[in-house]
């Protein structure tokens, strides 16, 4: 008997003739993540990815934790791999399963027999395994309808597998299966969540952060790099591009009507983001905006902002309220860093009464007061790139 991980995936099953491509991406990502846990063999068959330790130094606990954060995997089970005979299966049920039932009051035995050559039906296998578990754990009770845990026996082509319960995976689609996008990453709560949500849909994510030194500090930049690192537990390595907006913001403050300041700034951000997209090969821009959350996120304001962009702008948080966004931020571990008291450039020179229903024609008249093209060229020349990777050694 040896212990392995069984990683199940969801949406990939629906991909028909393209399923092999998605499985290849998922397997490659899983192999890269598992390197820090030791030497593992990763293979795929019958809608399942098998993670097999190849030596005694392979840390299956760490491998389990890593696999649960790989997009495309919906559940991970620790399982005993045994010979496809009843004696081996029942021996495993008695020896391997009891520790997984500690603290539970009820269980149910179930079975799946994908290898129809096995001489017992699924109900027969379940009955035998259930009796073996009761013999090994006499205090536990059987509940066929609402069990605390399900003891599953799977009869597959090459072996039999027995496990008790599954850990929830990250779900979604394999990274890189749906293109590449650029996340506008501030130091707030929303944008890391937006990056996580788009990575979950198979998007490879790099980031762009705008700073405004000396109005913003190095601690603010460090905070953003840490947020990128935390998101990279799910998204993999993230390149964080940093551009200084100081001179653009000062020019807007001195040369334009105050109520338009935030809109004009965000339009410059979009144009600069487009240039970064061109450089890195990104097909879309991601923001953490939520409809109506602040003045620059009204429908009219978003239309004015989008008019400055030629790429799709993905806003996965657009229909979420703040509590929903915070809930995701806590789940992925970014919330406590997001609320650290280091301001980002969007809080510099904030207008007292920002336009909530702007008209594009009037915004363009404001832009015509400045040589924004030259200012944006200067800002783009300030670009520096940092790498955030939770799995870097």
């Amino acid at each position: 008997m040896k212990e392995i991980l069984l990683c199940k995936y969801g949406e990939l099953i629906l991909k028909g003739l393209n399923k092999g491509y998605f499985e290849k991406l998922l397997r490659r990502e899983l192999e890269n993540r598992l390197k820090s846990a030791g030497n593992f063999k990763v293979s795929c068959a019958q809608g399942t990815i098998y993670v097999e330790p190849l030596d005694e130094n392979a840390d299956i606990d760490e491998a389990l934790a890593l696999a649960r954060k790989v997009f495309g995997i919906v559940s991970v089970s620790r399982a005993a791999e045994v010979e496809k005979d009843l004696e081996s299966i029942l021996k495993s049920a008695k020896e391997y399963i009891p520790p997984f039932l500690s603290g539970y009051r009820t269980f149910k035995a179930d079975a799946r027999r994908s290898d129809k050559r096995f001489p017992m039906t699924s109900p027969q296998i379940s009955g035998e395994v259930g009796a073996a578990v009761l013999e090994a754990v006499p205090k536990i009770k059987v509940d066929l309808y609402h069990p605390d845990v399900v003891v599953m026996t799977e009869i597959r082509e090459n072996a039999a597998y027995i496990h008790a319960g599954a850990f929830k995976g990250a779900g979604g689609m394999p990274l890189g299966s749906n293109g590449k996008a650029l996340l506008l990453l501030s130091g707030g709560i929303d944008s890391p969540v937006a990056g996580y949500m788009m990575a979950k849909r198979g998007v490879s994510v790099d980031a762009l952060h705008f700073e405004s030194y000396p109005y913003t500090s190095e601690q603010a930049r460090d905070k953003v790099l840490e947020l990128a690192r935390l998101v990279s537990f799910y998204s993999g390595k993230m390149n964080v591009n940093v551009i200084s907006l100081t001179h653009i913001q000062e020019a807007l403050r001195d040369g334009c009507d105050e109520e338009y300041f935030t809109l004009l700034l965000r339009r410059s951000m979009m144009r600069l983001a487009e240039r970064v997209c061109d450089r890195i090969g990104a097909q879309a821009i991601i923001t953490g905006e939520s409809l109506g959350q602040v003045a620059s996120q009204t429908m009219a304001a978003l239309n004015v902002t989008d008019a400055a962009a030629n790429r799709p702008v993905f806003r996965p948080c657009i229909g979420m309220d703040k509590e929903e966004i915070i809930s995701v931020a806590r789940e992925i571990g970014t919330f406590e860093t997001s609320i650290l008291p280091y301001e980002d450039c969007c809080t510099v020179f904030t207008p007292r009464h920002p336009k909530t229903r702007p008209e594009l024609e009037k915004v363009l008249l404001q832009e015509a007061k400045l040589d924004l093209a030259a200012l944006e060229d200067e800002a783009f020349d300030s670009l520096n790139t940092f790498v955030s990777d939770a799995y870097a050694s």
Side-chain angles (χ1 to χ4, degrees):
M1 180 185 74
K2 66 179 179 181
E3 188 174 37
I4 71 167
L5 299 181
L6 300 178
C7 303
K8 306 294 180 68
Y9 48 76
E11 291 182 67
L12 272 63
I13 294 173
L14 306 176
K15 296 303 178 182
L17 296 177
N18 294 319
K19 188 174 73 171
Y21 165 73
F22 291 93
E23 288 177 336
K24 180 180 178 181
L25 289 176
L26 181 54
R27 191 172 65 248
R28 184 176 65 192
E29 184 65 27
L30 189 54
E31 286 171 344
N32 288 335
R33 299 281 183 93
L34 292 178
K35 288 178 181 177
S36 64
N39 193 17
F40 288 87
K41 177 183 176 182
V42 179
S43 58
C44 184
Q46 297 178 288
T48 300
I49 292 183
Y50 300 79
V51 176
E52 178 184 349
L54 296 180
D55 55 53
E56 60 183 14
N57 295 320
D59 188 337
I60 200 161
D61 291 314
E62 183 180 355
L64 172 62
L66 293 169
R68 292 184 65 194
K69 293 183 178 179
V70 174
F71 287 129
I73 294 174
V74 298
S75 69
V76 184
S77 299
R78 296 179 70 142
E81 180 183 285
V82 300
E83 295 292 327
K84 286 195 298 183
D85 62 72
L86 185 61
E87 182 181 353
S88 298
I89 292 169
L90 297 183
K91 184 173 184 293
S92 179
K94 293 177 181 178
E95 296 178 358
Y96 179 74
I97 291 299
F100 293 95
L101 302 182
S102 178
Y104 292 114
R105 298 192 326 174
T106 63
F107 86 104
K108 171 187 175 181
D110 203 350
R112 293 195 186 101
R113 185 177 60 116
S114 57
D115 182 359
K116 303 304 182 185
R117 295 170 299 177
F118 193 78
M120 298 175 67
T121 65
S122 295
Q124 288 172 333
I125 298 167
S126 300
E128 294 285 350
V129 170
V133 170
L134 285 172
E135 182 181 337
V137 189
K139 292 185 178 180
I140 201 165
K141 304 297 182 184
V142 174
D143 185 338
L144 298 180
Y145 301 102
H146 304 288
D148 294 329
V149 64
V150 175
V151 175
M152 174 63 68
T153 305
E154 301 187 39
I155 309 297
R156 293 174 171 259
E157 292 298 321
N158 297 320
Y161 303 89
I162 185 166
H163 54 88
F167 295 91
K168 182 181 178 182
M173 298 287 291
L175 286 172
S177 62
N178 277 318
K180 183 174 185 177
L182 181 69
L183 169 67
L184 302 191
L185 182 61
S186 71
I189 298 169
D190 304 342
S191 57
V193 169
Y196 160 84
M197 292 175 69
M198 292 311 303
K200 186 173 183 177
R201 297 310 306 155
V203 176
S204 176
V205 177
D206 277 352
L208 172 58
H209 174 65
F210 295 105
E211 63 182 8
S212 187
Y213 185 81
Y215 305 105
T216 59
S217 64
E218 289 188 15
Q219 290 95 326
R221 179 197 290 181
D222 292 342
K223 171 185 172 181
V224 166
L225 295 177
E226 174 61 10
L227 287 171
R229 189 189 71 84
L230 293 170
V231 174
S232 77
F233 274 109
Y234 296 90
S235 69
K237 183 181 76 171
M238 185 184 299
N239 294 317
V240 183
N241 303 278
V242 179
I243 288 178
S244 173
L245 290 181
T246 303
H247 292 165
I248 292 177
Q249 291 185 279
E250 291 174 339
L252 292 174
R253 176 197 62 191
D254 297 336
C256 298
D257 294 348
E258 180 188 357
E259 60 190 355
Y260 288 97
F261 176 84
T262 301
L263 288 167
L264 297 171
L265 179 64
R266 294 199 66 78
R267 283 172 57 84
S268 280
M269 288 178 172
M270 284 295 182
R271 287 188 288 266
L272 288 166
E274 291 253 275
R275 293 172 71 166
V276 176
C277 285
D278 288 338
R279 173 174 287 191
I280 68 174
Q283 300 158 287
I285 297 168
I286 305 168
T287 78
E289 291 160 317
S290 171
L291 187 63
Q293 187 177 125
V294 295
S296 64
Q297 295 175 21
T298 64
M299 194 173 293
L302 293 175
N303 281 331
V304 167
T305 300
D306 282 359
N310 294 313
R311 279 175 172 77
V313 181
F314 296 149
R315 297 182 171 96
C317 301
I318 194 70
M320 300 170 70
D321 63 33
K322 199 66 177 184
E323 287 304 314
E324 291 172 316
I325 296 171
I326 288 172
S327 177
V328 178
R330 291 187 187 278
E331 180 183 340
I332 65 176
T334 58
F335 179 73
E336 295 300 330
T337 300
S338 290
I339 62 175
L340 292 174
Y342 302 120
E343 303 293 348
D344 61 36
C345 71
C346 293
T347 62
V348 178
F349 312 136
T350 304
R352 290 165 293 181
H353 303 290
K355 278 282 187 183
T356 57
R357 297 180 181 177
E359 300 172 31
L360 181 58
E361 294 79 6
K362 293 180 179 179
V363 172
L364 294 175
L365 289 174
Q366 291 290 318
E367 285 186 339
K369 295 179 179 181
L370 302 173
D371 187 357
L372 280 174
L375 287 165
E376 289 167 8
D377 284 343
E378 178 193 15
F380 190 73
D381 288 341
S382 74
L383 187 149
N384 285 303
T385 303
F386 303 83
V387 178
S388 289
D389 187 358
Y391 299 104
S393 57

